């Protein structure tokens, strides 16, 4: 979904005008447009974290273990001899949508809290994730310092697999998708210098626009101590 910030602010004002709330005249200051834009950005991130799968437009990460294959960036995947592995995540990473290895029987769609008991259980081969119920979390690689998605555990190669038999675990990635943070970009005149507007880009379907407007109004009103009315708009923004 892409939308001009000026259009979203206009739609926020129109929606607020429909309420006919006497006290609303007091919440609009000279810089209220900028405050509304900030509310839009906050609302966008909240919706990206909460939206159901059918409303997402995830980005796909290209991963290849084949030396001649293509991938999005160097040294994206690391394999460990006990079957777990890690994948370097993009800089604009917000949340996982799906990770699936070809050797897994189910996808990984939710991540563990690194400080949780569930994460601590991955240290033991008896309690860690399996190809049937894989587990994963975001952490930092001790060797590169990069943020990685650590996963447990790849399945074993099948007997008829065409990969060298001295490899025990099959880490080949079938699907790796994620949601990036929202982006706000300047809209320029033809000279490429004069800024005429800004547009927000987020990985949600166009039907989420109305929820974005309602959530932004809620955030704006609550910041102006209009909590009761803000909560009403928050209810309208629930996907």
């Amino acid at each position: 979904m892409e939308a001009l910030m000026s259009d979203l602010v206009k739609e926020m004002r129109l929606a607020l005008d429909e309420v006919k709330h006497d006290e609303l005249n007091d919440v609009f200051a000279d810089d209220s447009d900028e405050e509304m834009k900030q509310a839009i950005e906050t609302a966008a991130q909240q919706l990206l974290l909460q939206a159901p799968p059918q409303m997402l437009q995830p980005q796909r990460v290209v991963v290849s273990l084949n030396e001649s294959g293509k991938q999005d960036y160097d040294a994206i995947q690391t394999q460990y001899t006990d079957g777990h592995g890690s994948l370097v995540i993009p800089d604009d990473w917000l949340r996982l949508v799906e990770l699936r290895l070809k050797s897994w029987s189910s996808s990984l769609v939710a991540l563990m809290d690194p400080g949780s008991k569930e994460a601590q259980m991955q240290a033991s081969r008896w309690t860690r994730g399996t190809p049937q119920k894989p587990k994963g979390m975001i952490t930092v690689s001790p060797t590169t310092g990069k943020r990685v998605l650590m996963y447990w555990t790849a399945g074993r190669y099948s007997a008829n697999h065409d990969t060298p038999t001295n490899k025990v675990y099959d880490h080949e990635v079938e699907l790796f998708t994620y949601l990036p943070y929202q982006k706000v970009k300047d809209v320029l005149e033809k000279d490429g210098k004069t800024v005429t507007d800004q547009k927000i880009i987020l990985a949600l379907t166009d039907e989420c626009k109305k929820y974005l407007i309602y959530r932004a109004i809620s955030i704006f009103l609550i910041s102006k101590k209009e909590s009761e009315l803000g909560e009403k708009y928050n209810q309208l923004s629930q996907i």
Side-chain angles (χ1 to χ4, degrees), residues 124-235:
S124 169
R125 61 177 295 191
W126 307 110
T127 56
R128 68 183 183 182
T130 66
Q132 292 72 40
K133 294 183 178 180
K135 300 290 184 180
M137 67 179 182
I138 301 298
T139 186
V140 176
S141 168
T143 55
T144 66
K146 294 181 178 179
R147 289 196 305 159
V148 296
L149 193 166
M150 192 77 71
Y151 61 83
W152 291 265
T153 303
R156 292 178 177 270
Y157 283 111
S158 59
N160 61 352
H161 201 287
D162 61 357
T163 306
T165 56
N166 61 347
K167 292 185 177 180
V168 178
Y169 294 98
D170 185 357
H171 289 258
E172 188 172 355
V173 176
E174 185 172 17
L175 183 66
F176 184 21
T177 57
Y178 76 103
L179 283 191
Y181 278 97
Q182 72 277 6
K183 298 177 183 177
V184 177
K185 294 186 175 181
D186 291 335
V187 178
L188 305 175
E189 287 279 13
K190 291 182 179 180
D191 59 14
K193 297 179 181 179
T194 307
V195 178
T196 60
D197 204 340
Q198 288 182 313
K199 66 177 177 180
I200 189 168
I201 304 168
L202 60 162
L204 296 176
T205 59
D206 289 340
E207 63 183 302
C208 291
K209 183 179 178 181
K210 61 181 178 181
Y211 301 112
L212 176 64
I213 292 168
Y214 290 143
R215 182 67 60 89
I217 291 174
S218 173
I219 293 168
F220 174 74
L221 289 175
I222 291 173
S223 73
K224 297 297 184 181
K225 312 301 181 185
E226 290 280 350
S227 299
E228 184 176 347
L229 186 57
E231 180 55 32
K232 291 180 180 178
Y233 277 101
N234 184 52
Q235 292 300 318

Side-chain angles (χ1 to χ4, degrees), residues 58-70:
Q59 299 288 314
R60 184 164 185 164
V61 182
V62 179
V63 185
S64 175
L65 292 177
N66 186 335
E67 292 182 0
S68 62
K70 294 181 179 180

Side-chain angles (χ1 to χ4, degrees), residues 1 29 31-32 46-49 65 67 77 96 98 104 109 124 131 134 152 158 172 175 184 192 195 214 222 232 237:
M1 179 177 76
D31 59 350
S32 58
Q46 290 182 4
L47 292 183
L48 284 168
L49 289 169
L65 292 177
E67 292 182 0
Q77 188 174 29
L96 173 71
E98 182 177 4
W104 285 351
V109 295
S124 169
W152 291 265
S158 59
E172 188 172 355
L175 183 66
V184 177
V195 178
Y214 290 143
I222 291 173
K232 291 180 180 178
S237 74

Side-chain angles (χ1 to χ4, degrees), residues 8-87:
L8 293 175
V9 168
K10 186 183 298 182
E11 292 190 47
M12 287 175 66
R13 288 183 176 275
L14 287 173
L16 282 167
D17 285 343
E18 293 176 359
V19 176
K20 305 296 184 184
H21 193 280
D22 293 338
E23 296 179 14
L24 283 180
N25 291 327
D26 297 331
V27 304
F28 293 114
D30 292 340
D31 59 350
S32 58
D33 276 9
E34 290 303 315
E35 292 176 341
M36 285 182 165
K37 291 176 183 178
Q38 292 174 11
I40 290 168
E41 288 194 57
T42 302
Q45 184 169 330
Q46 290 182 4
L47 292 183
L48 284 168
L49 289 169
Q50 299 169 3
Q54 66 270 23
M55 292 186 172
L56 304 180
Q57 294 181 322
Q59 299 288 314
R60 184 164 185 164
V61 182
V62 179
V63 185
S64 175
L65 292 177
N66 186 335
E67 292 182 0
S68 62
K70 294 181 179 180
Q71 56 188 38
D72 281 353
Y73 34 87
D74 293 337
I76 188 174
Q77 188 174 29
T78 303
Q79 304 174 48
Y80 296 88
T81 56
D82 64 351
H84 80 285
S86 67
L87 291 157

